[in-house]
Amino acid sequence: MHRFISLDHVGKDELLYHYTKCKSVQSILKTGVLYATRSSFLNDTNEMAYIIEVAKKMLKDVKNQDYVCLLDQQIVATMEDFARTDIFVISFSINPDDITLWAEFGESTGYNIAFDAKSLIRGINAHNSIYCHGHVIYDEKKQKDLIYHLLTEVIASKVGKPFETIMDEELRHPGSPDFKALSTKFRSLMGVYAMFFKQKEFAAEQEYRIVFKNPNKSQICFREQDGFLLPYIKIRISEGKLPIRGMTVAPKNHVDLARKGMEVYLDYLGYHVPIELSQLKLRY
């Protein structure tokens, strides 16, 4: 399904940064496992509502109002389809030192792990079924263009007829199989784009996501966070050494032991990578 989605991927020699707390760093290094969180528990709980809003704006570019009425119904139905789908996400960033991410993942106890991006994705894919991955898109115009292209070109081509022909047939004969095929695939792929469309206010995060879909229920675990239970699945990166290229200490964690302790722990595990201090200057 993801082959119909247009996402930008990491390139050769790029790094992906995973911001997390000290306890989680220790677990990742020791077990070779990352946690993928259920999408409805991510930091931006408005993601599905946001893509519906973008899609409705896209409809303004559709000149035929009869088409708009038909498509509006499918956009609303996307929300219902998405609620029935188990999507789990691991979030990274291409920003090595972001104040927003530090604030979310612990200014006082946080670190970020720099992974070799290509090796990381290759390792995850060797042990798990990645549904799709790519850079999050924050530009609304690009988001609208992608939805429009998906609907009028990509899916219509897959159905095997021009978009206008499919729509006209549905208007003449409601319940046509080609329109049903187009709308079903459209709703499904909108659910994927929902994972990669965010409001421009989040752009500083420069997020990169790896997405997993419909795991076996026996794989789903729960952990306590801030007084509620958070569903997640365990994603193995490697049976051996992880593709780590460095680590950064959070801006409010600059006591000597924060860096030294991690250096000793990494050396104990056989990693010889640089550990940097955040360059952000925060007021205490």
Side-chain angles (χ1 to χ4, degrees), residues 150-205:
L150 175 71
L151 180 64
T152 63
E153 299 288 341
V154 178
I155 301 176
S157 175
K158 178 67 177 176
V159 173
K161 291 183 179 179
F163 172 71
E164 291 78 7
T165 301
I166 296 170
M167 299 300 291
D168 289 340
E169 288 178 354
E170 176 64 15
L171 289 169
R172 288 195 302 268
H173 306 289
S176 69
D178 288 335
F179 180 76
K180 183 177 180 181
L182 180 138
S183 58
T184 299
K185 195 168 291 293
F186 176 65
R187 294 198 307 268
S188 176
L189 293 174
M190 280 276 286
V192 179
Y193 267 144
M195 295 296 93
F196 295 93
F197 287 7
K198 295 184 76 170
Q199 294 163 280
K200 63 182 180 180
E201 288 78 10
F202 291 94
E205 295 178 356

Side-chain angles (χ1 to χ4, degrees), residues 18-19 25 28 32 42 44 53-54 58 65 67 115 117 147 153 160 163-164 169 174 201 203 209 215 235 243 266 273:
H18 188 63
Y19 289 72
V25 172
I28 292 166
L42 295 173
D44 180 11
E53 177 186 327
V54 173
M58 177 275 297
Q65 288 306 302
Y67 292 3
F115 289 99
I147 295 174
E153 299 288 341
F163 172 71
E164 291 78 7
E169 288 178 354
E201 288 78 10
R209 288 183 167 183
I235 301 298
L266 287 170
V273 297

Side-chain angles (χ1 to χ4, degrees), residues 6-7 11 31 61 113 118 126 149 229 244-245 250:
S6 179
L7 296 171
T31 66
D61 296 330
I113 307 170
K118 287 289 189 181
H149 179 69
L229 293 176
I244 294 172
R245 298 294 177 262

Side-chain angles (χ1 to χ4, degrees), residues 14 33 35 41 45 52 59 63 67 69 84 91 102 108-109 127 137 148 161 167 177 190 198 226 245 248 251 274 278:
E14 284 193 63
V33 168
Y35 290 172
F41 287 76
T45 56
I52 298 298
L59 288 183
K63 295 180 174 56
Y67 292 3
C69 292
R84 293 191 293 268
S91 292
W102 285 127
S108 301
T109 62
H127 296 87
I137 300 164
Y148 187 82
K161 291 183 179 179
M167 299 300 291
M190 280 276 286
K198 295 184 76 170
D226 300 329
R245 298 294 177 262
T248 302
S278 168

Side-chain angles (χ1 to χ4, degrees), residues 267-281:
D267 183 68
Y268 169 76
L269 295 176
Y271 292 96
H272 305 287
V273 297
I275 301 179
E276 308 292 342
L277 300 177
S278 168
Q279 297 303 302
L280 296 174
K281 306 300 181 183

Side-chain angles (χ1 to χ4, degrees), residues 59 62-73 167:
L59 288 183
V62 178
K63 295 180 174 56
N64 189 314
Q65 288 306 302
D66 291 331
Y67 292 3
V68 171
C69 292
L70 287 176
L71 294 172
D72 189 63
Q73 295 169 15
M167 299 300 291

Side-chain angles (χ1 to χ4, degrees), residues 9-42:
H9 298 147
V10 286
K12 184 181 178 181
D13 299 326
E14 284 193 63
L15 299 178
L16 288 176
Y17 300 91
H18 188 63
Y19 289 72
T20 190
K21 293 180 170 59
C22 182
K23 182 178 180 181
S24 297
V25 172
Q26 187 177 15
S27 172
I28 292 166
L29 294 173
K30 186 176 181 180
T31 66
V33 168
L34 289 167
Y35 290 172
T37 304
R38 198 177 196 278
S39 60
S40 53
F41 287 76
L42 295 173

